[in-house]
């Protein structure tokens, strides 16, 4: 089931994602597939790509440890070990890493508090896209971007712009 939502100027199609611990990584994998072929991959391919993205994100965290360790709560090595587990939820550190590894901007939205029939999205961050880890608003419309919506409780779903 796909649903539509919009931010201030664009319509998005929401691609639901299972809450299996891979949701962030699967959402980014879906976004990349939609950018590439215009369609979603089969579930097995999505799962394999999500797992590969998870490992790439953790590899990037480890590679850049000196720059990012302060950003991780608790023991860095334990965090990375935990993040390699399939059911570990990804968050902002992994989004930053994925944006760098993939060379794309990742924009994160949340639903505004409105009835479902008038659902609106609000951007809460744009990651990647150059020397800075967080982009300014001018970078939002770049073709090299992936969008996800954060639903709370650690859950993400994929978004695809449908007004282009």
């Amino acid at each position: 089931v796909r649903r539509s939502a919009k931010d201030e100027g664009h319509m998005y199609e929401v691609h639901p994602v299972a809450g299996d611990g891979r949701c962030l990584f699967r959402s980014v994998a879906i976004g990349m597939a939609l950018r590439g072929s215009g369609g979603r991959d089969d579930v097995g391919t999505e799962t394999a790509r999500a797992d590969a993205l998870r490992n790439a994100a953790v590899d990037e965290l480890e590679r850049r440890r000196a720059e990012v360790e302060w950003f991780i709560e608790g023991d860095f090595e334990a965090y990375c070990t935990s993040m390699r587990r399939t059911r570990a939820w990804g968050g902002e550190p992994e989004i930053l890493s994925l944006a760098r590894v993939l060379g794309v901007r990742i924009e994160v939205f949340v639903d505004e508090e409105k009835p479902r029939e008038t659902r609106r999205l609000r951007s809460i961050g744009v990651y990647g896209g150059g020397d800075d880890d967080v982009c300014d608003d001018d970078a939002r419309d770049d073709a090299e971007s992936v969008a996800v919506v954060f639903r709370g409780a650690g859950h993400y779903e994929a978004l695809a712009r449908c007004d282009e």
Side-chain angles (χ1 to χ4, degrees), residues 77-155:
E77 289 176 19
Y79 179 86
C80 290
T81 298
S82 173
M83 277 310 304
R84 289 199 188 275
R85 294 187 187 115
T86 304
R87 300 203 55 85
W89 297 351
E92 192 169 32
E94 292 72 35
I95 294 169
L96 285 165
S97 291
L98 287 172
R100 283 187 175 260
V101 167
L102 296 171
V104 299
R105 291 177 180 94
I106 300 175
E107 185 165 12
V108 180
F109 291 90
V110 293
D111 276 326
E112 288 189 331
E113 302 273 336
K114 293 192 177 193
R116 286 186 106 66
E117 58 274 359
T118 57
R119 176 169 290 166
R120 295 189 66 82
L121 299 173
R122 179 173 47 91
S123 178
I124 60 170
V126 182
Y127 301 87
D131 293 334
D132 298 327
D133 285 327
V134 180
C135 297
D136 60 24
D137 286 340
D138 293 337
R140 290 183 61 196
D141 291 331
D142 189 87
E144 298 297 316
S145 64
V146 171
V148 298
V149 59
F150 179 67
R151 299 290 193 197
H155 187 65

Side-chain angles (χ1 to χ4, degrees), residues 21-78:
R22 291 182 179 97
C23 62
L24 169 63
F25 306 102
R26 188 181 302 271
S27 293
V28 172
I30 291 167
M32 295 296 290
L34 292 169
R35 279 186 45 223
S37 67
R40 284 181 73 160
D41 293 318
D42 62 85
V43 173
T45 301
E46 280 182 9
T47 300
R49 288 191 175 155
D51 290 345
L53 288 174
R54 173 190 297 279
N55 284 322
V58 177
D59 289 347
E60 180 69 6
L61 285 173
E62 291 174 339
R63 195 171 22 259
R64 300 187 57 185
R65 181 177 183 160
E67 297 171 48
V68 301
E69 186 171 17
W70 67 270
F71 191 55
I72 305 297
E73 289 185 36
D75 181 73
F76 183 81
E77 289 176 19

Side-chain angles (χ1 to χ4, degrees), residues 2-16:
R2 295 183 198 161
R3 300 177 302 271
S4 293
K6 66 186 215 173
D7 73 352
E8 289 303 316
H10 304 289
M11 289 293 298
Y12 289 88
E13 184 175 55
V14 180
H15 290 260

